[in-house]
Amino acid sequence: MSDLSHRITTLFEQGNSAPREEARDAFLRLRDELSLGTVRAAEPDGSSPTGWRVNVWVKQGILLGFRFGDIVDMGVAKGRWPFFDKDTMPLKRFEAGAGVRIVPGGSAVRDGAHLGQGVVCMPPMYINIGAYVGAGTMIDSHALVGSCAQIGQRVHVSAAAQIGGVLEPVGALPVVIEDDVLVGGNCGVYEGAIVKRRAVLASGTILTGSTPIYDLPNSRIIEPSGGPLIVPEGAVVVPGTRPVTNGKGREWGLSVATPIIVKYRDERTDARTALEQAIR
């Protein structure tokens, strides 16, 4: 454990009795590291069954920033556009040399989020503290990347998609979207679900920590087993339904929504997703 991680863990365990200025200083150091991408809330781990591990101390540090921040006026245009937030949670500052495109029109990125080279942000969208967005990824209009969510390289998070975040419980894995994934419009990925590389989520697909996925090509049902829901590499997932088989649900002919894997990526799928590169 590094000096910073040990320091943050100690301060977090002290609760509200932690020395205020020391806690703020530790958080500000962490925020800088998160922005640079040198520290992450979760990171790849080949020894883990999921391929990822949570850095609990990072989430503890972010919570320190909320706990010991002061609410201040963050409005613009001399109060004509008022905002009030913790002084520890300002917006991230960018320079043209960073190679990140933020198209004008009401987007926001909190400091403490990392955006890699070539990331494109279409308005309006929001990226929260602790999130990691890999190089060449697009965050489309009305999309949300929640706190501590991990987004890989060359991902397309389409319009109105929601990538859930998590700060508490501190040991919970955030949502992970690996490299070269296409997240369709109006998708929702929540509760620490992991979408493996090259997967495609068709528009309207909803994934949660308890969602079963019906894998038609492999004649199986994928369910969490003591860990997060994992969408397999290259899976093409569409929204579907399954019947309610008992009680009044069966009598009334009701169905519930469920994601279905209809195929795995092939040359035709790759040709369609390759069109995304032309607009970046």
Side-chain angles (χ1 to χ4, degrees), residues 32-97:
D32 289 343
E33 297 291 339
L34 287 168
S35 290
L36 293 171
T38 53
V39 166
R40 297 173 64 171
E43 58 187 300
D45 181 358
S47 66
S48 167
T50 66
W52 289 82
R53 75 166 183 271
V54 180
N55 290 323
V56 172
W57 69 273
V58 172
K59 293 202 284 182
Q60 290 174 331
I62 294 172
L63 289 170
L64 285 178
F66 283 106
R67 183 184 298 168
F68 292 100
D70 297 322
I71 296 179
V72 297
D73 185 349
M74 290 189 174
V76 296
K78 296 182 179 180
R80 285 178 289 178
W81 201 3
F83 297 99
F84 300 89
D85 199 2
K86 297 290 182 107
D87 64 341
T88 47
M89 303 288 165
L91 295 180
K92 186 177 179 71
R93 294 181 178 273
F94 292 92
E95 297 179 356

Side-chain angles (χ1 to χ4, degrees), residues 94-200:
F94 292 92
E95 297 179 356
V100 174
R101 287 178 56 202
I102 301 182
V103 178
S107 295
V109 181
R110 254 183 174 162
D111 201 5
H114 172 76
L115 278 64
Q117 185 85 15
V119 168
V120 179
C121 300
M122 300 299 293
M125 58 93 240
Y126 186 76
I127 300 174
N128 210 342
I129 186 171
Y132 183 100
V133 182
T137 285
M138 173 175 281
I139 310 298
D140 216 332
S141 303
H142 297 282
L144 166 70
V145 179
S147 55
C148 299
Q150 304 292 298
I151 311 292
Q153 299 183 45
R154 300 173 301 277
V155 172
H156 189 132
V157 180
S158 299
Q162 306 284 294
I163 308 300
V166 61
L167 282 174
E168 295 183 285
V170 292
L173 186 73
V175 170
V176 175
I177 310 292
E178 294 189 357
D179 295 347
D180 300 300
V181 168
L182 175 61
V183 180
N186 289 293
C187 285
V189 187
Y190 309 107
E191 299 176 0
I194 298 175
V195 182
K196 289 293 186 179
R197 61 183 300 273
R198 300 183 69 253
V200 176

